[in-house]
Every structure is written in structure tokens, then in C-alpha cells.
Amino acid sequence: MSAEQSGAEMTGAQSLVKSLEAAGAETIFGIPGGAILPAYDPLMDSTIRHVLVRHEQGAGHAAQGYAAATGKVGVCMATSGPGATNLVTPIADAAMDSVPMVAVTGQVGAAMIGTDAFQEADIRGITMPITKHNYLVTDPADIPRTVAEAFHIARTGRPGPVLVDVAKSALQSMTRFDWPRELQLPGYRPVTRPHSKQIREATRLLLESRRPVLYVGGGTIRSGASRELATLAELTGIPVVTTLMARGAFPDSHPQHLGMPGMHGTVAAVGAMQKSDLIISLGARFDDRVTGNLDSFAPGAKVIHADIDPAEIGKNRHADVPIVGDVREVLLDLIAALREKADAGHTGDYEGWVRWCAGVKSSYPLGYDKPAEGLAPQYVIERLGAIAGPDTIYTSGVGQHQMWAAHFVGYEKPNTWINSGGLGTMGFAVPAAMGAKAGMPDTTVWAIDGDGCFQMTNQELATCAINDIPIKVAVVNNESLGMVRQWQSLFYNNRYSNTDLHSKRIPDFVKLAEAYGCVGLACETPEDVDSTIEKAMEINDVPVVIDFRVERDAMVWPMVAAGASNDDIKYARDLAPEFEGTDDWEVRP
């Protein structure tokens, strides 16, 4: 901070912009409005790039995509009332998926708060349950300290969203800018280093177990611990499963990788967790979509649960060894302890278990039925992943295409898969891709979207076209709310109530893309898939949208019905065969 800036007199709005610069903000996604308008004037002279989105929800999801792709804090900005409430969904989404984000909102003048003034909403109260922390600033002198604290809280400990609501009167008042030299947050002390006693106990369980599984969650990616995870896995030979939020934390191509667990997980991943005697949970939270019926989940397994958020440990499943700490620090200490034991001649005996897991993986590979006519959506995504490659960043919406994208794209690196996991927000893909591309301009970014999701936020294509953010969008168009239709097929006797979107007629996605200044392409035959994707890959100066007109009856398999036991995983479209495990760990099934 220069001497001219520190201690200088300026408006609260100028102080806000200077504070955002000092905190390291490089890009802000937002829309101006009355209460936040004073801040937009000094923003014109700032080094910060502002991207004018078409809807505040797009700003929030773009900030998420930016943060997930770069590892930096994502920033979004909106005015009071409806501007702020339009950020609620991405704020909740960021909270569920541990995304570091700061949302800056304008508020009506301090004297008008509580009077139901024009465009007033108690956004601090509204977002209290879905933020790590939030602030209402009415004194302009508090702006620098508040912004510094907000960024620190958002990115440290378990990352998450922080809201800074600033009264318009504070933005308009004069103040002195003083950036804090140190932060005073006596109640905020995230524990990053694990306790040595817990590491010793975890090491003991690891060496005693015969059927351990590394259950890897999104916290492993947020921690930047992929290299350490690979070291531990290869040191021990233990099979690895990666959750929806952890795809890419461990290479799909690695022979120890069993795939994704849970409701639509691979048979190998689900079966291994069910039959394990020890689950080593790393930055995962035993979500219901992973565990299925909690009472029957992994009944013979002890649990080592490592997480930076102590509130997650034991919340859903009892932890035999709770470890509070950053996943990377936990892994480093576990590796050191296991190497020390190995030097003394003590290693785990998992050979039979590893053979059994490999056998299940071989017997129940991922696959799909190719339709007699039309285009299989799984084939589209499979070819997209193969052509775009593992260096590409992929975002997705929510539903069938999300599950297919999680399965049929090969993820080899962290931070290349960005999706809405915990909240399951339709419309996430396009703005998240926009944010990822803004943060990583030299990386190819594909949004894999469904026709339902795409119609919720495709207006951000205008933002991308105008701001030179050339994302690529693959619309998996089955004319339906696909996942809901799948449930109607399986559980509601094919009664398709309000899931038909008519998306192959209205709208015409190719014309829509062109109207937004993008290139629009269409594909409806398997023979044209590769050439269409390759054509899109060659266009790098404007956004590209491909309308893949796929057959509508494809389903996501494997599947565990909601509330069912993971033992009841279904592998084929006709609900058979079910996975039949074996207790003979010394042989293949």
C-alpha cells in the first residue's frame, strides 16, 4: 500500500475499491444499482477488471468458477434488495461446496435501515445460515478492516462465502483509508496441523486393517493435496474412491482408482466402501448421496475422519479416529508415520483386498447402452473428454449430464472439474465456465450442460461474447428435465408430469447462440460427433455452443435409489443384475 493511499482522505466508495485491490481482487463479476452505485464510479479507475453480467446469480456462479479454477477468492457485487437476494443461491452453493468467495452488496442508507425503504432487504439476516461470516458496514472507517477480514475468512480454514453489506451512506461519506497491518479475530483460529496422537492412532488402524479404502472428498482439492494423496496411495497400495467434488484429485487412469462412490457411483467404489473394514475419509463429509441409507452404510468399517471443519467430524457417521486439520498437513504426517513404521518392518497386508477390488472393477465396468436410433448422450461426453483432453476445465449443470460428465470424462488433474455438488444448482455450468475462463484465459473451458439447465442462465453468453471470454458449451439436449424423467420412469410408472421441455423445437439453440454473438452448431448423429467437437475446438475467439440432440430415454447407471442401502446398487437398465459381493478377499469375485 503506497503512502499516498494509506491514510489518505477519500469517500467510502473509493475506500471500498482500494480495499478490494489491497485484498488481491483481480476480477469482479457484478451489476450496478442504486445502493452500490457510488462504488462503481471509482471502479472505473481501478486495476480490477469488472465483468458486467446479465443476472446477479450469474455473477455469483462466475465468482465460484473463478475461485475453483484459480484457487483464489472469487468476488461478486450487487446492489441492495433484489440484487442481493439474487446472490442467495450462489452463496448457498459456495457454502455447501467450500468455495472461497466474497460477495459485496450495497445497502440502503444507515438511517433508512429497518424502514422498508425502496430496495431494502436484510441480506445479512437472510444469508446468516449460508455464509461463513457476514458484515453490515455503516461506518466508512470500518471498510478496509472488514474487507481484509472477509478475504481472510473466505480463504482460510474451511473455505466459504463471506458477505460484506455496505450502507450507501457509508459509501458516500468521507473517511481515511487505513489498511490493517494485522487482523484481530480472536474467535477465529482454524486448526490446520493435526494432533500427533490422532496420527499415531490412525497409523495403527491402517496397519491393522485388511480392507481399507481412501475416501477422498472435495476438501482434498481445496487443500491442494493431490500430490500428497498420490504419495500415500502408492506407499500403501490402498484403493481410492473420489467423490463428485473430488474428481481429479486422484488420476482416473491410476490402477488403484475405483471411481466415484454414491448414488450414481461405480460398482467398484460403492462395493469397496460397503465391504471395507476401515474408511480413511479425507476432506469428505459422509453426504447422503454417498452413504445411501446411513444405518446400512459400510457396516463393518471403522472410520478415520480427517477434516479442517470440526463440525463435520462425526456429524453423520461416528469417527473412531477424528483428525481436525488441513488435509495436506494430515497426509504429510500420515506419510511420515507410515514410512517410519515401514522402516521398522511394519506394513499393511492388503494384497487379497486389492485383488478383490480390482476384480469388481473389472467385472462391473462403466458402460452404457447404445440406442438403436439416435445419439447416446454418454457417447457425446465420452468423445468430448477424449478430444478436449485432461488439461481442459469442465463445468457442469445438475442432473443426468452431470453424472455422465463425472463418469465419462477422464480427470487426471485437480481443479479441472467444477460443478454444483452439495446444493445441486441447475444453471451453474455456463456462468461457472465464464468465471473459470476469466481466471484461466489460456485454458480451454467446456461447460457440459443440459437443455433444462442451459435455459436458466444462458443469458451469460452475452457477457462472454462482449467481454472476450470464449467458453465452449455442450448442450446435452434430450428435450427433458432428464433426471426427473428418469425417476418418473423408475418410480412413477412412466407418468411424465411436467418434464417435457420441447427443447429440440423451442428455442432453437443454434439461433439463440448466434443471437448472443456466439457460434452455434448442431449435432444429432454419432458420425458427426467428433467433427463437430473438433470444429468447436478450433474456434477460440468467440464462445461456441453445440446443440447435441440426443435420445431422451438414456438413464444414469449405476444407481442406488434414494434412501436405499448401497448394497442395493443397480447396474443395468432393467434393474438387474444387482451387485453381489463376496467375503472372500483372497480371490477375485
Side-chain angles (χ1 to χ4, degrees):
M1 190 59 55
S2 69
E4 298 84 42
Q5 293 172 345
S6 184
E9 189 171 14
M10 60 185 68
T11 65
Q14 291 171 317
S15 177
L16 175 62
V17 172
K18 293 292 183 188
S19 297
L20 290 167
E21 291 173 349
E26 297 171 348
T27 303
I28 294 175
F29 304 90
I31 300 180
I36 196 66
L37 190 58
Y40 269 80
D41 185 68
L43 198 55
M44 282 191 75
D45 305 316
S46 173
T47 58
I48 298 172
R49 178 190 188 188
H50 182 274
V51 177
L52 175 62
V53 298
R54 296 308 184 260
H55 191 283
E56 289 89 356
Q57 183 179 351
H61 292 321
Q64 287 182 272
Y66 178 94
T70 65
K72 302 174 184 177
V73 177
V75 186
C76 54
M77 186 177 285
T79 195
S80 63
T85 58
N86 281 342
L87 288 177
V88 168
T89 295
I91 289 171
D93 197 296
M96 290 284 273
D97 288 348
S98 305
V99 179
M101 184 171 86
V102 170
V104 179
T105 54
Q107 183 56 273
V108 299
M112 301 174 71
I113 293 175
T115 68
D116 290 333
F118 177 66
Q119 290 192 330
E120 180 186 0
D122 179 12
I123 195 61
R124 189 179 184 214
I126 290 168
T127 61
M128 193 76 73
I130 55 171
T131 50
K132 261 189 91 173
H133 192 58
N134 61 25
Y135 297 87
L136 171 61
V137 181
T138 57
D139 183 346
D142 293 337
I143 290 173
R145 175 188 56 81
T146 302
V147 170
E149 289 180 4
F151 275 73
H152 176 73
I153 293 169
R155 66 174 165 247
T156 55
R158 176 179 178 173
V162 178
L163 176 85
V164 178
D165 194 33
V166 188
K168 186 174 184 177
S169 54
L171 294 173
Q172 293 174 321
S173 300
M174 298 303 294
T175 185
R176 289 192 178 276
F177 177 84
D178 288 300
W179 187 249
R181 297 181 183 274
E182 58 181 344
L183 300 179
Q184 301 293 332
L185 293 167
Y188 182 69
R189 291 287 185 272
V191 175
T192 58
R193 289 300 308 272
H195 197 288
S196 59
K197 178 175 178 288
Q198 302 305 91
I199 293 294
R200 288 195 301 271
E201 186 64 15
T203 303
R204 182 184 67 80
L205 283 186
L206 273 162
L207 295 177
E208 288 179 355
S209 71
R210 295 291 304 281
R211 306 187 301 277
V213 174
L214 289 166
Y215 164 40
V216 178
T220 305
I221 287 182
R222 297 288 182 257
S223 173
S226 294
R227 184 176 301 174
E228 291 74 18
L229 171 64
T231 300
L232 177 67
E234 291 172 355
L235 176 67
T236 60
I238 295 173
V240 178
V241 303
T242 54
T243 67
L244 179 67
M245 292 305 300
R247 304 292 287 114
F250 192 74
D252 280 356
S253 60
H254 199 289
Q256 287 171 239
H257 193 213
L258 302 180
M260 183 176 77
M263 173 179 272
H264 291 295
T266 65
V267 174
V270 173
M273 291 187 79
Q274 284 299 98
K275 302 298 183 181
S276 66
D277 66 0
L278 178 66
I279 292 173
I280 305 100
S281 176
L282 301 169
R285 55 188 180 87
F286 293 88
D287 175 72
D288 64 283
R289 283 311 194 249
V290 167
T291 66
N293 183 297
L294 201 56
D295 294 337
S296 61
F297 172 69
K302 291 185 177 180
V303 171
I304 298 168
H305 193 170
D307 202 291
I308 200 163
D309 184 356
E312 290 295 350
I313 298 178
K315 183 177 79 174
N316 294 327
R317 172 68 179 251
H318 170 72
D320 298 275
V321 181
I323 305 177
V324 178
D326 179 81
V327 169
R328 184 173 178 272
E329 300 285 352
V330 171
L331 285 169
L332 287 169
D333 285 4
L334 274 176
I335 290 164
L338 287 166
R339 280 176 172 161
E340 185 177 326
K341 290 290 185 182
D343 290 342
H346 303 296
T347 56
D349 178 12
Y350 317 131
E351 186 177 344
W353 169 243
V354 170
R355 283 203 306 271
W356 183 86
C357 290
V360 176
K361 182 178 178 180
S362 175
S363 298
Y364 295 89
L366 277 173
Y368 55 91
D369 296 326
K370 294 183 180 179
E373 295 182 4
L375 184 58
Q378 302 96 323
Y379 177 73
V380 168
I381 293 171
E382 190 174 53
R383 294 307 303 154
L384 176 58
I387 294 170
D391 292 325
T392 293
I393 293 173
Y394 301 89
T395 70
S396 87
V398 171
Q400 288 181 315
H401 65 281
Q402 177 190 28
M403 296 298 106
W404 290 323
H407 279 313
F408 292 106
V409 173
Y411 299 100
E412 299 294 310
K413 301 176 181 180
N415 306 312
T416 55
W417 165 246
I418 301 171
N419 81 126
S420 172
L423 197 64
T425 304
M426 291 180 67
F428 178 87
V430 169
M434 175 173 69
K437 184 67 174 177
M440 304 288 285
D442 297 328
T443 302
T444 300
V445 179
W446 272 97
I448 300 174
D449 222 353
D451 50 306
C453 286
F454 182 62
Q455 293 184 78
M456 292 192 172
T457 52
N458 62 33
Q459 68 272 7
E460 299 308 336
L461 289 173
T463 310
C464 292
I466 291 168
N467 289 278
D468 299 320
I469 305 174
I471 66 170
K472 305 180 193 300
V473 184
V475 181
V476 181
N477 180 1
N478 62 2
E479 296 187 279
S480 302
L481 298 171
M483 189 62 86
V484 183
R485 179 184 168 89
Q486 175 166 333
W487 281 49
Q488 288 171 335
S489 297
L490 297 174
F491 308 119
Y492 292 90
N493 299 315
N494 298 323
R495 288 165 57 84
Y496 300 119
S497 173
N498 291 283
T499 48
D500 190 345
L501 294 173
H502 305 282
S503 308
K504 290 180 184 175
R505 296 189 297 109
I506 302 173
D508 183 323
F509 288 143
V510 173
K511 290 181 179 177
L512 181 70
E514 291 170 350
Y516 276 130
C518 308
V519 171
L521 306 171
C523 177
E524 49 192 327
T525 64
E527 296 77 20
D528 293 333
V529 168
D530 281 20
S531 61
T532 306
I533 294 171
E534 287 163 358
K535 183 175 181 179
M537 290 292 291
E538 293 169 358
I539 300 169
N540 293 304
D541 54 345
V542 293
V544 184
V545 177
I546 306 177
D547 180 9
F548 286 106
R549 296 163 184 169
V550 302
E551 64 108 358
R552 74 187 319 179
D553 291 320
M555 293 196 191
V556 179
W557 300 110
M559 179 179 179
V560 177
S565 168
N566 280 358
D567 289 325
D568 298 327
I569 186 170
K570 312 295 183 182
Y571 180 65
R573 180 172 177 168
D574 59 0
L575 304 189
E578 293 184 12
F579 166 61
E580 295 180 1
T582 173
D583 291 329
D584 185 356
W585 316 116
E586 303 306 321
V587 298
R588 291 177 182 269

